[in-house]
Amino acid sequence: MAESKARTVAENRRARFDYFLEDVVEAGLQLTGTEIKALRDGRANIAESYAAVEGREIVLINADIPPYKQANRFNHEARRPRKLLLHRRQIDRMIGAVQRDGRTIVPVRLYINEAGRAKIEIALAKGKKLHDKREATAERDWQRDKARLMKDLG
């Protein structure tokens, strides 16, 4: 989903290691003025964040958007819950997957799209077991070693 003019602000690289990512969806974020200014400065962290179901809405929890430097007393709270903007059908499908199948909604990437809007890619995820993580690490190491051997030989 990465467009050519989209600028990534924050990425959750740990999500691919800890979860099997299944259904990736682009969502909008309900932000205040100082939050979008801080994002345009390129300051955010979604590493420890997750999305939770509250009623019939999905909310991004624990995403860190630090206060905007030039704002005064009207600044925002850094780790407040932020509502995700999705279509009703997408919300219902995600809520069903969380309640029925025990999936987790994980933020993958936070970016500013070409229109200047803040968007977040969220994914329905299934947690990996320890042996799955070991397997992924072994595969990554093998790919690295294979690339090094190919470079040395050819």
Side-chain angles (χ1 to χ4, degrees), residues 74 86 95:
F74 300 111
L86 291 159
I95 289 173

mmCIF file of all heavy atoms in Angstrom, residues 74 86 95:
data_model
loop_
_atom_site.group_PDB
_atom_site.id
_atom_site.type_symbol
_atom_site.label_atom_id
_atom_site.label_comp_id
_atom_site.label_asym_id
_atom_site.label_seq_id
_atom_site.Cartn_x
_atom_site.Cartn_y
_atom_site.Cartn_z
ATOM 1 N N PHE A 74 -1.994 24.557 24.986
ATOM 2 C CA PHE A 74 -3.004 23.799 24.249
ATOM 3 C C PHE A 74 -2.438 22.500 23.674
ATOM 4 O O PHE A 74 -3.034 21.903 22.794
ATOM 5 C CB PHE A 74 -3.573 24.652 23.110
ATOM 6 C CG PHE A 74 -4.212 25.916 23.606
ATOM 7 C CD1 PHE A 74 -3.636 27.141 23.352
ATOM 8 C CD2 PHE A 74 -5.375 25.868 24.357
ATOM 9 C CE1 PHE A 74 -4.210 28.307 23.819
ATOM 10 C CE2 PHE A 74 -5.966 27.025 24.831
ATOM 11 C CZ PHE A 74 -5.372 28.250 24.564
ATOM 12 N N LEU A 86 -12.489 4.043 10.315
ATOM 13 C CA LEU A 86 -12.667 2.930 9.381
ATOM 14 C C LEU A 86 -14.125 2.877 8.948
ATOM 15 O O LEU A 86 -14.997 3.464 9.590
ATOM 16 C CB LEU A 86 -12.320 1.598 10.062
ATOM 17 C CG LEU A 86 -10.862 1.354 10.412
ATOM 18 C CD1 LEU A 86 -10.756 0.310 11.495
ATOM 19 C CD2 LEU A 86 -10.119 0.907 9.181
ATOM 20 N N ILE A 95 -13.799 -6.547 14.695
ATOM 21 C CA ILE A 95 -14.347 -6.875 16.015
ATOM 22 C C ILE A 95 -14.693 -8.362 16.071
ATOM 23 O O ILE A 95 -14.410 -9.040 17.062
ATOM 24 C CB ILE A 95 -15.584 -6.002 16.332
ATOM 25 C CG1 ILE A 95 -15.146 -4.565 16.593
ATOM 26 C CG2 ILE A 95 -16.348 -6.548 17.532
ATOM 27 C CD1 ILE A 95 -16.283 -3.581 16.762
#
